[in-house]
Amino acid sequence: MRDIDEVSDARLVTSIARYSEVALAEVYRRHGRAVYGLARRVLQDAGEAEDVTQEVFLRLWREPDRFDPGRGSLRSFLLAQAHGRAVDAVRSSSSRRARESREAARTARAEYDMQHEAWDLAMADQVAQAMGELSEDERRAIQLAYFDGHTYREVARVLEQPEGTVKSRIRSGLRRLRDALVDAGVRGVDA
Amino acid sequence: MISHEDASELLGAYALDAVERDELTELEEHLATCPRCRAELDGLREAAGALGNSVEPPPEGLWSRISDRLGDYSGEGEEPPPMPELSVGTRQRAPFRAPSPGRTRRIRSNALLLGAVAVAASAVAVVLGIGLVRSQDNVTNLQQSIAHERAAAQRTPAEVALHTPGHRVVSLANSAHVEMASFVIVPGGRGYLISSSLPALQEGQTYQLWGFTGSTPVSLGLLGGSPHGSTFTVAGAPLTAELALTAEPSGGTVAPTGAIVASGTV
């Protein structure tokens, strides 16, 4: 008999499909921090981040079959859900205003603080290193899109670069990031 | 129609939710038909996921709020819903470090309550599970295995119980002899609510089910403030001669404090 914390993510999702709240609680224990952390980072608001986190887990409860283990890890699936919702909220007019007022303060922050964006603490170095290998342009474009919720056209305007260039840089940067993480053996990336 | 080249150029932005709204439809149509793009997208999303990882702990009560809302995704009460108990063996494992889930907490408090009663009323072992009211959702992307699990879980215990040889249906009526609730009990003592016309209680109150063996009431479980359409399980041995329902403060009591709302003979 295995303890629940040794059960694979995919099996937990199967159990969720069978209405196991215990399995959902375990998924929350494993990934709740990452989901909340990303939502909070994008939204810059604890309350909104909670709402997003709640939606993400309730949706997993309601529609567990939307997760396809053949297409990637549960962690990135949940983070993609969280990110999509957070970005939607950011782009809605109500939070846009509050957000813009925060923008100035944020640009003064450290370049990037990968310690807090890592897969978990042990993976922080790998991700930081991989990000460090990107060109400055790639890194900026990815950060503006991912963490600030800008579309690639908005990123192009902010960086005063052609849209096509920004589009390509985001793709090439992400591909290199993926390759670097696969090489470093970060689990989930090559799933 | 967007070309494959144009679509694949957008994949990075798409993985970051940074594609313009006016381009989304075409891109998603292409993705639906292009396994190559889907495969690349999956990899880019993993990379984005690695970026998005954070170690910021969520606020304390967040899991409880999520847990409390699981029952919101309920059927319309037309059929008794499926039971989580049909799920994996993990449910039977006691030492689980759940982040204080509300529903589990309630179950645990029932167990404590029942434990106290069992001591007081000469060791009656009671197993109690509270079923979650669920509905089958509209699903896209249906994965075969999970679809089958769902289908299996749709067979409700109450339905199974009603087809079990030797089952008994117990009707609970109020003082005016109007039926308020009925249960089906299978040999072995497990019982399920099959119908209820109990009025919803005020917040902070719950219906509590009691079994009488002789004159001593034994708590068989809490049904919540609005049992209509929900399902739950009570099992007790030895089986009691009479069932009764009272309204009690949520959390339940060790002995009935409220007036009997409905009762019936087993």
Side-chain angles (χ1 to χ4, degrees):
Chain A
M1 288 239 288
R2 287 178 304 173
D3 283 334
I4 191 165
D5 51 10
E6 291 168 15
V7 172
S8 73
D9 279 351
R11 176 131 168 70
L12 285 175
V13 175
T14 308
S15 299
I16 289 169
R18 298 187 208 167
Y19 313 101
S20 168
E21 184 178 338
V22 173
L24 187 74
E26 175 65 10
V27 169
Y28 179 85
R29 195 181 67 78
R30 289 181 193 183
H31 305 298
R33 294 196 309 175
V35 167
Y36 175 77
L38 176 60
R40 171 120 200 212
R41 170 81 193 255
V42 173
L43 289 160
Q44 296 288 305
D45 181 279
E48 287 184 77
E50 279 189 48
D51 290 347
V52 165
T53 307
Q54 194 165 325
E55 283 172 38
V56 167
F57 282 93
L58 288 174
R59 185 159 198 209
L60 180 66
W61 177 250
R62 224 165 59 220
E63 304 177 334
D65 41 292
R66 290 179 65 88
F67 168 62
D68 179 350
R71 293 195 62 185
S73 65
L74 180 61
R75 171 70 70 96
S76 10
F77 170 79
L78 293 172
L79 287 176
Q81 302 270 309
H83 190 261
R85 279 156 196 274
V87 161
D88 283 347
V90 161
R91 289 181 192 155
S92 76
S93 52
S94 58
S95 43
R96 173 73 83 182
R97 240 179 309 117
R99 188 179 170 73
E100 275 163 0
S101 64
R102 290 190 295 262
E103 214 75 64
R106 301 189 58 206
T107 46
R109 282 215 316 229
E111 246 294 271
Y112 61 98
D113 179 15
M114 295 316 303
Q115 300 312 103
H116 297 286
E117 275 84 60
W119 198 262
D120 51 28
L121 282 173
M123 290 299 161
D125 285 348
Q126 309 283 12
V127 178
Q129 209 177 334
M131 274 300 266
E133 284 163 17
L134 303 187
S135 74
E136 178 63 24
D137 284 336
E138 287 172 337
R139 199 161 54 219
R140 286 276 288 149
I142 288 174
Q143 287 173 336
L144 283 168
Y146 195 63
F147 293 120
D148 292 0
H150 290 297
T151 65
Y152 76 88
R153 282 185 196 149
E154 290 170 346
V155 172
R157 277 197 291 280
V158 172
L159 297 179
E160 297 177 329
Q161 289 169 354
E163 290 175 4
T165 309
V166 166
K167 198 161 49 171
S168 304
R169 280 182 181 148
I170 290 176
R171 183 187 180 204
S172 65
L174 272 186
R175 288 172 81 147
R176 297 206 304 138
L177 190 59
R178 177 199 60 194
D179 294 345
L181 293 173
V182 170
D183 289 345
V186 175
R187 78 204 135 86
V189 172
D190 55 349
Chain B
M1 205 38 200
I2 192 170
S3 73
H4 172 76
E5 281 64 39
D6 288 346
S8 56
E9 270 298 286
L10 277 170
L11 290 177
Y14 188 69
L16 304 184
D17 298 306
V19 170
E20 305 293 332
R21 205 171 281 274
D22 59 347
E23 290 173 311
L24 266 183
T25 312
E26 278 199 318
L27 175 60
E28 283 172 351
E29 279 169 10
H30 177 79
L31 276 169
T33 62
C34 180
R36 204 143 52 100
C37 280
R38 278 204 303 277
E40 179 174 343
L41 175 65
D42 291 344
L44 298 179
R45 278 208 170 129
E46 288 292 328
L51 262 186
N53 274 284
S54 148
V55 290
E56 181 154 15
E60 275 291 301
L62 183 53
W63 169 256
S64 296
R65 288 199 287 285
I66 292 171
S67 177
D68 286 345
R69 286 193 53 200
L70 298 182
D72 292 356
Y73 298 103
S74 59
E76 298 308 311
E78 70 288 348
E79 287 294 323
M83 293 286 295
E85 230 175 338
L86 295 180
S87 65
V88 290
T90 52
R91 183 162 261 278
Q92 291 132 28
R93 215 153 303 162
F96 168 63
R97 292 173 284 133
S100 63
R103 194 169 292 277
T104 301
R105 194 179 53 235
R106 283 198 295 275
I107 293 169
R108 195 176 302 125
S109 66
N110 289 347
L112 287 175
L113 163 69
L114 293 170
V117 171
V119 170
S122 73
V124 178
V126 177
V127 181
L128 168 69
I130 297 182
L132 303 173
V133 184
R134 297 289 304 260
S135 70
Q136 184 73 333
D137 300 292
N138 291 332
V139 287
T140 55
N141 242 348
L142 210 58
Q143 284 172 254
Q144 284 298 75
S145 63
I146 288 181
H148 287 150
E149 301 292 356
R150 281 267 160 128
Q154 288 293 309
R155 280 201 318 275
T156 70
E159 287 167 349
V160 173
L162 283 168
H163 291 94
T164 302
H167 76 269
R168 274 174 293 183
V169 174
V170 182
S171 171
L172 272 62
N174 65 12
S175 54
H177 306 292
V178 176
E179 181 183 298
M180 301 304 286
S182 62
F183 298 85
V184 55
I185 299 175
V186 295
R190 194 168 283 269
Y192 308 90
L193 180 72
I194 48 179
S195 71
S196 160
S197 51
L198 293 162
L201 296 174
Q202 290 173 341
E203 194 156 342
Q205 285 196 300
T206 179
Y207 285 106
Q208 189 162 2
L209 182 65
W210 305 92
F212 285 84
T213 43
S215 59
T216 312
V218 174
S219 174
L220 296 178
L222 304 180
L223 315 189
S226 181
H228 183 79
S230 62
T231 204
F232 51 85
T233 310
V234 290
L239 195 56
T240 51
E242 189 174 8
L243 296 179
L245 276 168
T246 60
E248 303 292 350
S250 59
T253 54
V254 287
T257 61
I260 288 179
V261 177
S263 62
T265 309
V266 177

